[in-house]
Amino acid sequence: MTCSLSSPAADMASKAQTAPSWKTFVFYILISFLTSFSVFTVLRGASKARVDKICTKVETPTMYYTGESDSKKTPRGTTSTIEGELVILLWTWPFGQRFPLDQCARIHGISGCTFTVDRSWYSRADAVILHHRDVCSSKTQLPQEPRPFNQRWVWFNLESPRHSPNLHFMDNLINLTLNYRRDSDIFSPYGLVERTKSPQDFRIPNKTKLVAWAVSNWDPTLTRVAYYNQLKNHLNIDMYGGRNRPLPPGKTISTISQYKFYLAFENSLNQDYITEKLWHNSLLSGTLPVVLGPTRENYELFLPSDAFIHVNDFPSAKELAAYLHFLDANDEQYGRYFEWRKRLQPIGYTDWTIHYCKACQALRQQLNYKTIPSIAKWYK
């Protein structure tokens, strides 16, 4: 006969073997917390690294002015002040790139503003232009002194929403937007078309090659890269920039003009985001652009419908490639895509001056004072 032990001590021993103790439970909770915290830290660090990579880390811009601060003196890097003109302070040079500040009247016929990059003029400035990518790392990159009465802050940005972090920094600070979007306060696109005074005899540059694409930002997660990976299976594409074929400075137009087609693929698919890839690289080169970006209808707000080929016109990359091969073999059909250039000419803006001159013009015309609660809600 086998005897079995049954006692409170035995029951406790049995439960100890089958159920975890409170210490074990606390240990599991602690491990879970540490694991979650580690994952959060890594993700937060990755996000910060992306912002740091995008935003310029400049607390104080490089100035032409190097002398003492004296409100009665005109600093170097400032256009000479004329009574009645608006004083516009560039809080930073955009991406650190300098350019003449006194060209608005001569080049664009816009006058009435004095531009400066000297921050000692902050208290005298009628407006301050903030280039987003130079002030998006930290709020300390924004003006820290109290804003003078009626001074207007202009948010300037030509990058897509994807590449414009920390928009919330601008909440309740901005009075006017200067942007490529048609619904911005100061509309300043990458390019436009102008009607010619008389019919033009536009001649298509001599073509010896088929398709080119110049790309420096190679991100496999982008739509344009995914589409290229499909298209290259049916079409030979010459790649320039980055790790591809070199594209020497000043040789973009002469190089791309040899090709019948240029892939004007944008890095972001956003409203009105139509950049120099179309205006400068393709149209000014006399090459037929194949575009990937906003919708065809959006492109047609900027240029004629027969000035480009949109990837969305075709069910697949294979069918697009077949159409490009067809045009390559049919000069008459290819030439029809350039008929519009007899009456219109493309203008591609490749310098910063025009954007600041447009700000001058708008600031003189727009007298109403307003404050934008959130740039982020609009810019998406």
Side-chain angles (χ1 to χ4, degrees), residues 44-58 133 136-138 141 165-166 169:
R44 185 170 180 269
S47 177
K48 185 178 185 300
R50 181 177 180 273
V51 170
D52 289 344
K53 183 179 180 181
I54 290 176
C55 299
T56 305
K57 290 184 177 180
V58 178
R133 287 281 291 271
C136 63
S137 286
S138 169
Q141 294 179 309
N166 291 330
F169 285 179

Side-chain angles (χ1 to χ4, degrees), residues 211-218 222-232 235 237 239 261-269 273-279 281-282 288-294 299 309-312 317 320 324:
V211 184
W213 185 26
V215 56
S216 56
N217 177 21
W218 186 264
L222 297 181
T223 302
R224 67 179 183 182
V225 174
Y227 197 92
Y228 161 78
N229 286 332
Q230 298 176 45
L231 189 62
K232 70 179 182 180
L235 200 65
I237 303 171
M239 301 281 289
F261 308 99
Y262 180 77
L263 303 184
F265 287 6
E266 302 296 351
N267 60 38
S268 301
L269 313 184
Y273 188 62
I274 303 171
T275 71
E276 80 288 341
K277 301 170 187 64
L278 172 81
W279 297 107
N281 294 7
S282 187
L288 177 55
V290 179
V291 304
L292 183 152
Y299 276 92
I309 297 171
H310 200 294
V311 298
N312 289 350
L320 169 60
L324 297 186

Side-chain angles (χ1 to χ4, degrees), residues 73 323 366:
K73 295 181 179 180
Y323 184 66
Q366 298 184 23

